[in-house]
Amino acid sequence: MQPNLTRARAALASLLLLSPIAVVASSAAATPAAAPAVTASAAAKAPAYDVTIRITEHGIPHIRSNTLPGMAYGAGWITTAEATCNLMDTLLTARGERSLYEGPDATYKDNVGGSATNLEWDTLVTDLHDRRVVERLLADPVAGPSGRAKAMVVAETAGINAWLAEHEITDPACADDEWIKPDVTTTDVWYAFYLAQLISSTTRLLPQVTGATPPTAATRPAPTPTRAQLREALEQDDRFGSNATAVGGDDTSTRRGMILGNPHFPWLGRYRFTQMHLTVPGKLNVAGGALTGFPAINIGFNKDVAWSHTVSTGYRFTPYQYTTAGSPTSYRTAGGGTAELERRDVDVQVRTDAGVETVTRTLWRTPQGYVLNAPSLFMGWTKDSFWAFRDANAEHLRTFDTFLSMNMASSVRNLLRRQDRGGGMPWVNTIAADRAGDVLYADHAVTPNVTDALAGRCMTTAGRLIFSVAGLPGLDGTRASTGCAWGTDQDAQRPGILGPSHLPEVVRRDWVMNANDSYWTPNDEVRLTGYPRIIGCEDCERTMRTKVVMAYVRDRLEVGRETPRTLASHEHANRVYAAEVARAGGRLDQVCTATGLTAACQVLHDWDGRSDATSSAGAAIFQEFVWLADQRDVGLWEVPFSAAHLLTTPRTLSTAQPVVDAMAAAITRVTDRDPDLSGTYGELHRSGDRGSAGWPLGGGLGDLSGDANAVSSTLGDPVLDPVTRGSSYIQAIAFRGRTGIDARTILTYSQYEDPASPWSDDQTEMFSKEQWVRFPWTAAQIRDQLVEVVHLAP
């Protein structure tokens, strides 16, 4: 038995409290099925579910039931144990009650794009409840979930409540929150799912929606943004991204498929992953990472196919510009008519020093969706016009069904067919590999059916400007319900979205990848072209991160096939691709020398060019340099991008004074933390998730620096402050022979959120040391790593 198992078992018993369940403490060599059980009576009334959870090292649950609802019950129960405060905070948001319990003025960030005050979040969510958006979708036979999914959410909700009913919360983050009770409803859970669908659309525009008010005579025109400001405002936040590489049988040592997937997600808050292994004999056997509270695997593998996701460049919404008709709340319609905006007065309960009060906020809508006031996007509300937007992900509740079906896939082609039939892949690309040796890249996320032809017919003057800068078509609201309505494809799961035949995909046997650039370049030779601009750009610049991810595979294939070990090794190779380009011709040294900071420049010169935790402080200087140059909008490269040389442009580091100034400032920032620059990069770059010991980490900024292992901070300085985002649930999966799976995984911030748990920081330490969890997939592997068995029989 490993030394930590006794400590882990004791901590688990403390966390679980052994109340409504049967629990078996098992040695690593014990046979779970043979272990005796002591069953206590269930306190919470719920349907009859029979679930066994085998917990292996690092707190990873292997949940087994004879039914899908039973499996979902177990997932809800164990997720509540692992992530109590985060899950309940997610459900509080889904209820629209943040202001009631946390006050109206605090800022709530979901850390993937949505940032607003509690009152702003509650205003939107309360209006969704008032309009019964989710309830209507639950009754929709096309856009709503299946009966199977509904039954599973009923079970998951029961599992959440069962854990809450019988356990005292020990996590200090929410132990004193009296509002946490075993009163979670299925509606709460579905609204949480629904809000997750909106993170690339409605909730990203939350302040602009909740702050939209009709202009008055005293309203002063907002300054017109520059094209650069517009592009920056509409571009996907590079903190919210991922890498994934799938290598096919033609290029692997096993002649089977392999995948390395690394989603770059928050280490704090709602969008953390938990690891799970879900089994329903004869129906489902899948493992991987699931976003908190989701009872299916989002990124993972089964016996025949493994997949990962990266955030897509496509837009999930389109703005419509309306011409006012006599007042700011009247607008013109097709055929010379007029209409009035729908005024929605929303009552939100808020906590104040004087007690609970009702605050009324007003939202405005057209039949297409919410009105927004966003002058920085050229979408201001003026006396002459206003903008509203239609959100494709607001019109369905199919994401759970889509992932659940994908969990049962038998090949990459079958995976994509299941995804398309589900119609609910919300905002990501899919990269996959299978046992037959095929690999897939596809961007089949939910996308408005706005072809370039429709956009050309329907864009307003301002809409064309937005389109030319960012690829988002701004359409004519006058014809929003007629000639400028979204189209319908016969092969789409429902009207209004692009069907599979109009979405990019490729299946190959060599390799594919994506690192959040558009679909155009799934590898160094293949070009996907001819798709609507709303999905992404073609003949456009690739980031340094895309280039390094490609370089790992290309360089390996020059000397031999990818093996399970070599593909996994790319995760911690930590090349800093932008530095490799900057050093060409001695340019990086020239820039540094011009600062006159000789000692620091020697450190930078001697740096090994990697972002390993053991690299010198030169790594921090370079990361700070490219970040500051970006913040100051300093152009770094003399040779611009050329589509004919997409992997080698831009290049040639500029030696202009603004570049030198950025370098000098970077050195100053690093020497403020390490005056003599004698420390390692890892001493300056440490883990910062809640409860972490502050482990030294490799990796860097991602797009700016050309690090595939993107880890940085949201707390101020992205390089030098504690890491709170980036590499998250990482998997390196290789299929072997007819049945074998080589599964390496790591959950960078660890499985449990309560700092008292032995599983709250153990994988973070492993990540710091560039180690992997050898994921227990088979019954024998689970038995070998077994820590605890939990039997739920309410």
Side-chain angles (χ1 to χ4, degrees):
M1 181 183 298
Q2 296 187 13
N4 68 336
L5 293 190
T6 301
R7 182 166 63 96
R9 191 173 292 127
L12 180 67
S14 174
L15 288 168
L16 303 186
L17 293 182
L18 316 188
S19 294
I21 56 173
V23 177
V24 181
S26 305
S27 73
T31 302
V38 179
T39 305
S41 61
K45 294 182 180 180
Y49 307 113
D50 196 319
V51 191
T52 299
I53 305 175
R54 291 174 173 83
I55 299 173
T56 55
E57 294 170 22
H58 311 295
I60 298 171
H62 304 258
I63 304 167
R64 185 182 181 93
S65 177
N66 287 329
T67 67
L68 287 167
M71 180 273 291
Y73 180 91
W77 191 93
I78 197 66
T79 299
T80 311
E82 296 165 341
T84 314
C85 300
N86 193 12
L87 176 62
M88 297 312 296
D89 190 66
T90 297
L91 296 173
L92 184 69
T93 306
R95 290 171 169 172
E97 295 181 348
R98 299 197 65 83
S99 300
L100 179 60
Y101 295 104
E102 305 293 340
D105 299 326
T107 296
Y108 173 67
K109 297 181 180 180
D110 64 16
N111 295 314
V112 293
S115 178
T117 66
N118 286 338
L119 180 57
E120 288 170 328
W121 279 96
D122 290 342
T123 299
L124 173 70
V125 176
T126 300
D127 188 57
L128 296 175
H129 281 274
D130 290 348
R131 292 169 47 225
R132 297 183 58 78
V133 171
V134 165
E135 290 86 345
R136 293 176 187 275
L137 286 171
L138 286 168
D140 191 316
V142 176
S146 66
R148 176 174 71 177
K150 293 176 187 177
M152 290 177 68
V153 169
V154 169
E156 181 195 19
T157 304
I160 294 170
N161 285 327
W163 191 93
L164 291 172
E166 297 295 333
H167 296 80
E168 178 182 354
I169 297 172
T170 59
D171 189 336
C174 64
D176 297 329
D177 289 346
E178 296 181 357
W179 59 266
I180 299 179
K181 300 174 183 178
D183 60 356
V184 178
T185 69
T186 57
T187 303
D188 297 336
V189 175
W190 281 114
Y191 269 97
F193 289 179
Y194 182 76
L195 289 176
Q197 295 177 182
L198 306 183
I199 62 178
S200 283
S201 46
T202 295
T203 60
R204 189 177 173 192
L205 297 169
L206 187 53
Q208 293 89 341
V209 168
T210 57
T213 56
T216 66
T219 302
R220 305 177 72 175
T224 301
T226 65
R227 293 173 68 93
Q229 290 170 330
L230 174 61
R231 184 182 296 108
E232 181 180 0
L234 284 173
E235 282 179 345
Q236 179 64 58
D237 188 341
D238 64 7
R239 296 173 297 181
F240 177 37
S242 305
N243 319 315
T245 302
V247 186
D250 286 356
D251 284 337
T252 63
S253 61
T254 61
R255 306 301 175 124
R256 307 289 183 179
M258 301 179 185
I259 192 168
L260 173 62
N262 180 358
H264 302 153
F265 263 59
W267 287 25
L268 303 171
R270 191 259 182 269
Y271 293 102
R272 283 172 53 114
F273 287 97
T274 58
Q275 289 174 281
M276 294 191 294
H277 182 182
L278 308 176
T279 303
V280 177
K283 295 182 180 179
L284 180 72
N285 190 18
V286 62
L291 294 175
T292 300
F294 204 76
I297 297 301
N298 299 119
I299 292 175
F301 61 96
N302 62 28
K303 70 183 183 67
D304 290 316
V305 61
W307 70 96
S308 195
H309 296 295
T310 62
V311 174
S312 161
T313 57
Y315 290 103
R316 312 302 151 206
F317 66 97
T318 60
Y320 282 92
Q321 185 177 21
Y322 295 80
T323 302
T324 57
S327 78
T329 59
S330 301
Y331 60 95
R332 301 191 184 282
T333 60
T338 62
E340 288 291 319
L341 285 175
E342 179 186 5
R343 176 182 176 132
R344 300 201 54 81
D345 293 323
V346 182
D347 292 337
V348 178
Q349 299 294 299
V350 303
R351 188 193 69 194
T352 69
D353 293 339
V356 176
E357 298 180 1
T358 299
V359 172
T360 301
R361 298 288 294 269
T362 300
L363 302 178
W364 301 86
R365 287 181 57 86
T366 73
Q368 277 60 52
Y370 287 108
V371 174
L372 73 164
N373 184 27
S376 65
L377 304 179
F378 281 101
M379 300 181 202
W381 193 345
T382 72
K383 64 182 180 63
D384 299 315
S385 71
F386 62 84
W387 295 78
F389 65 97
R390 181 179 176 186
D391 185 346
N393 272 328
E395 298 178 1
H396 74 94
L397 200 54
R398 295 286 304 165
T399 295
F400 178 33
D401 274 289
T402 300
F403 279 106
L404 180 63
S405 182
M406 289 171 60
N407 288 183
M408 304 173 186
S410 58
S411 67
V412 297
R413 287 183 171 86
N414 182 249
L415 182 87
L416 188 59
R417 285 197 298 271
R418 288 172 175 272
Q419 184 180 127
D420 292 336
R421 286 199 297 266
M425 185 52 59
W427 24 257
V428 289
N429 304 292
T430 300
I431 300 87
D434 65 25
R435 189 175 295 279
D438 289 332
V439 293
L440 164 75
Y441 163 77
D443 185 350
H444 282 211
V446 171
T447 307
N449 194 319
V450 178
T451 63
D452 290 350
L454 187 151
R457 294 194 308 269
C458 291
M459 286 186 289
T460 63
T461 300
R464 290 183 186 279
L465 174 60
I466 298 168
F467 183 74
S468 69
V469 172
L472 176 65
L475 307 178
D476 179 8
T478 304
R479 297 177 286 157
S481 300
T482 55
C484 295
W486 294 354
T488 296
D489 287 344
Q490 289 186 347
D491 59 343
Q493 189 269 337
R494 60 185 176 277
I497 59 174
L498 291 171
S501 61
H502 291 143
L503 294 167
E505 68 179 75
V506 63
V507 174
R508 299 182 62 80
R509 292 189 61 81
D510 50 3
W511 61 279
V512 295
M513 60 73 63
N514 186 265
N516 304 120
D517 277 324
S518 69
Y519 60 83
W520 178 45
T521 53
N523 69 23
D524 59 343
E525 295 183 352
V526 175
R527 302 292 175 266
L528 301 179
T529 59
Y531 295 96
R533 179 62 181 87
I534 195 172
I535 307 172
C537 60
E538 298 170 10
D539 296 325
C540 50
E541 186 174 339
R542 309 288 89 174
T543 66
M544 290 290 181
R545 181 160 57 91
T546 288
K547 293 173 186 177
V548 78
V549 172
M550 285 192 179
Y552 283 140
V553 182
R554 296 170 70 214
D555 292 353
R556 171 61 195 175
L557 295 180
E558 287 183 0
V559 298
R561 295 175 179 272
E562 286 279 17
T563 69
R565 183 189 62 79
T566 61
L567 185 62
S569 73
H570 300 332
E571 173 57 36
H572 293 293
N574 289 333
R575 289 170 63 177
V576 183
Y577 201 78
E580 296 176 20
V581 178
R583 279 176 156 169
R587 287 298 187 103
L588 186 61
D589 284 340
Q590 293 174 36
V591 167
C592 196
T593 298
T595 67
L597 301 169
T598 306
C601 292
Q602 189 64 50
V603 171
L604 183 63
H605 175 81
D606 294 342
W607 166 50
D608 63 7
R610 299 185 182 273
S611 57
D612 291 330
T614 55
S615 296
S616 75
I621 292 172
F622 186 80
Q623 300 277 345
E624 284 284 323
F625 165 60
V626 293
W627 174 63
L628 289 171
D630 181 68
Q631 293 292 297
R632 299 176 177 197
D633 201 23
V634 172
L636 287 179
W637 311 108
E638 291 184 356
V639 177
F641 169 73
S642 166
H645 304 284
L646 69 95
L647 295 181
T648 56
T649 58
R651 65 173 185 269
T652 309
L653 184 65
S654 169
T655 58
Q657 190 60 45
V659 179
V660 174
D661 292 342
M663 177 63 76
I667 292 170
T668 297
R669 293 177 75 94
V670 177
T671 53
D672 283 346
R673 307 286 182 104
D674 182 6
D676 59 4
L677 300 177
S678 60
T680 64
Y681 178 55
E683 291 171 330
L684 294 164
H685 191 242
R686 294 180 177 273
S687 59
D689 57 306
R690 189 166 62 89
S692 177
W695 302 105
L697 297 180
L701 291 173
D703 288 354
L704 295 176
S705 58
D707 281 278
N709 183 17
V711 285
S712 57
S713 181
T714 59
L715 303 178
D717 187 306
V719 180
L720 301 175
D721 285 337
V723 167
T724 56
R725 68 183 179 204
S727 300
S728 56
Y729 167 72
I730 309 170
Q731 63 175 20
I733 310 298
F735 294 103
R736 292 179 178 271
R738 296 180 63 185
T739 60
I741 299 177
D742 186 321
R744 294 171 167 91
T745 69
I746 196 77
L747 187 62
T748 58
Y749 36 69
S750 304
Q751 184 78 359
Y752 275 67
E753 292 194 18
D754 186 344
S757 169
W759 298 320
S760 73
D761 202 30
D762 57 326
Q763 291 191 67
T764 313
E765 181 181 6
M766 292 178 68
F767 181 60
S768 169
K769 296 176 179 178
E770 301 185 357
Q771 297 172 344
W772 293 93
V773 172
R774 300 308 294 260
F775 191 91
W777 170 252
T778 67
Q781 292 166 346
I782 294 170
R783 185 167 58 248
D784 288 344
Q785 294 192 33
L786 190 65
V787 176
E788 211 76 40
V789 178
V790 180
H791 181 213
L792 306 175

